[in-house]
Amino acid sequence: MSETPITVEPDSAPTVRFADFGLSPEILRALSDQGYVHPTPIQAEAIPVVLQGRDVMGAAQTGTGKTAGFSLPIIQLLLAHASPSMSPARHPVRALILTPTRELAVQVAENVKAYARHTPLRSTVVFGGMDMKPQTVILRNGVEIVIATPGRLLDHVEQKNVSLGQVQILVMDEADRMLDMGFLPDLQRIINMLPKQRQNLMFSATFSTEIKKLANSFLTNPVTIEVARSNATADKVTQVVYKVDEDAKRDVVEHLIRQRNLKQVIVFSNTKIGASRLARHLEQAGINAVAIHGDKTQQERMAALDSFKKGEIEVLVATDVAARGLDITDLPCVINFDLPYNAEDYVHRIGRTGRAGASGDALSVYSDKDERLLADIEKLIKQTVTRGTLEGFAPRSARPSRDAAPERRARREPEGAGRSSSERPAGRSSGPMPRREKVDPWFLKPYEPAAAPEPVKAATPSSSSIKPAKQKLAALLGGIPK
DNA sequence: AAAAAAC
């Protein structure tokens, strides 16, 4: 058979196929159902190691195919090794996969279900914000694989809907995110319920000191798997930042969406309220936009994601609930309405675009006060981001925004009073005043600069602000039994 | 400083 030779990278390994791993015919059939033939790098590395029963510490980001990297060998292991015959339960939980967000749990569960579809293995997903009852029925009927967010899983355990005493394999997905989100105590409680003898897989986007400590405390002699850091993916993403007046950010985002005629874009906001307001602003401007964040009901969150994926919605305005994990593929563009406080999150956010070989744009708007955030980001990604200029954008002069919250509008001083936005106290736009008695609202007083524009403490290391949290974490980590 | 996650 004479094939036209194709260009191959000089030292690329011979092409591996899923069929080479000794996976069962049922699993291979599920893969071919989906048209998968060749594993991604992390799958090629992880599958054999997991099949050997080894613990794994994997550094991999979303979009690398890590879900299949752990779920395929797990399914294989569960098929190959029968459930312990002593088990009183007919279908004890044998594999437990924990994720930091509900949407990620759903997504992982969909994958697992698809890969296991031709096997007798049952799986289900449990997470908060939804009725307990349907989950309870499924758990009580018995499942081998559970995908869960920690809080709701503990709830089910307490109600004796599920027992974790037979778990053979534990997966912690997005472990760094779990730590960020303060899941450690829950994780600790869950881990204490599992058999001491088990296989552990931990995946994390970063290899921070905290993650290494966590790995040391509950992985046994793990194999470390690391695939290319996402900094490399940034090559395909064209990044531009626009410095604008803080109060003009919403209009600028609207402008960018119109100017570029964007039909599928995620806009990231640092706050839930900011996301809601921006979505409403865009809606009122005639752009089909929906907000997704943790204050929305689970039904709303799922509906938003669903209709965005279907293309019914053009703009998804999201908090970092959507920064990681969500498999919204190949977006042409991502916009940061706020620069993220964690530079790492910038990488995750822009990772929503420029995937699978496609190119993408990551646009960010920021204002004076965010210079430090931008500097942190550029330091992390080791490149300077292009400063863009807005063409054809006409700022509306200090126009009171129509969509201000009613209570805010009521407090707003009569008439524009011709005060430029830069004169306003910094706190105004960042949230409502504390609802306490004897309020002495700023708008009743003549304006004075807020406590002298904070002197720039050049000597302060950027990590100082998160040190207390780190110490607390270290204390907790020390408390995990080996 | 804010986000997420159990009721």
Side-chain angles (χ1 to χ4, degrees), chain A residues 99-109 125-130 135 147-152 181 183 293-299 301-302 305 321 324 326:
Chain A
T99 72
T101 68
R102 298 166 181 174
E103 281 78 6
L104 184 57
V106 170
Q107 195 177 288
V108 170
V125 57
V126 301
F127 53 94
M130 300 283 280
Q135 297 178 2
I147 301 95
T149 50
R152 179 54 70 91
M181 286 167 40
F183 271 128
H293 57 66
D295 277 354
K296 297 271 184 182
T297 68
Q298 197 53 36
Q299 282 81 2
R301 281 164 62 162
M302 293 193 295
L305 203 55
V321 69
R324 301 191 192 195
L326 291 193

Side-chain angles (χ1 to χ4, degrees), chain A residues 24-195:
Chain A
S24 79
E26 291 86 357
I27 298 174
L28 293 176
R29 210 170 118 214
L31 286 168
S32 70
D33 287 349
Q34 306 198 31
Y36 296 148
V37 179
H38 301 289
T40 65
I42 189 160
Q43 290 162 2
E45 285 196 61
I47 292 173
V49 173
V50 177
L51 285 176
Q52 285 168 24
R54 296 286 303 270
D55 279 11
V56 168
M57 171 70 237
Q61 314 237 341
T62 314
T64 54
K66 81 180 133 96
T67 305
F70 63 75
S71 40
L72 294 173
I74 286 175
I75 293 167
Q76 174 69 27
L77 287 173
L78 296 188
L79 286 176
H81 306 288
S83 165
S85 55
M86 308 303 279
S87 167
R90 280 185 310 138
H91 299 279
V93 178
R94 300 171 59 200
L96 175 62
I97 302 169
L98 299 174
T99 72
T101 68
R102 298 166 181 174
E103 281 78 6
L104 184 57
V106 170
Q107 195 177 288
V108 170
E110 282 169 358
N111 280 298
V112 167
K113 195 142 265 176
Y115 301 138
R117 61 185 288 200
H118 300 301
T119 79
L121 296 172
R122 309 175 193 196
S123 63
T124 196
V125 57
V126 301
F127 53 94
M130 300 283 280
D131 194 354
M132 294 272 296
K133 270 179 255 155
Q135 297 178 2
T136 302
V137 170
I138 295 170
L139 287 175
R140 287 185 167 253
N141 277 330
V143 285
E144 283 81 13
I145 305 171
V146 168
I147 301 95
T149 50
R152 179 54 70 91
L153 179 68
L154 284 169
D155 209 347
H156 279 296
V157 171
E158 275 159 20
Q159 300 195 21
K160 304 242 186 290
N161 298 330
V162 67
S163 153
L164 302 179
Q166 311 268 341
V167 169
Q168 296 162 292
I169 307 170
L170 169 70
V171 180
M172 287 180 45
D173 202 7
E174 309 262 355
D176 49 346
R177 193 58 161 183
M178 295 221 207
L179 291 190
D180 286 351
M181 286 167 40
F183 271 128
L184 196 57
D186 281 354
L187 288 178
Q188 206 167 343
R189 288 184 59 203
I190 292 169
I191 287 169
N192 285 341
M193 297 174 187
L194 307 178

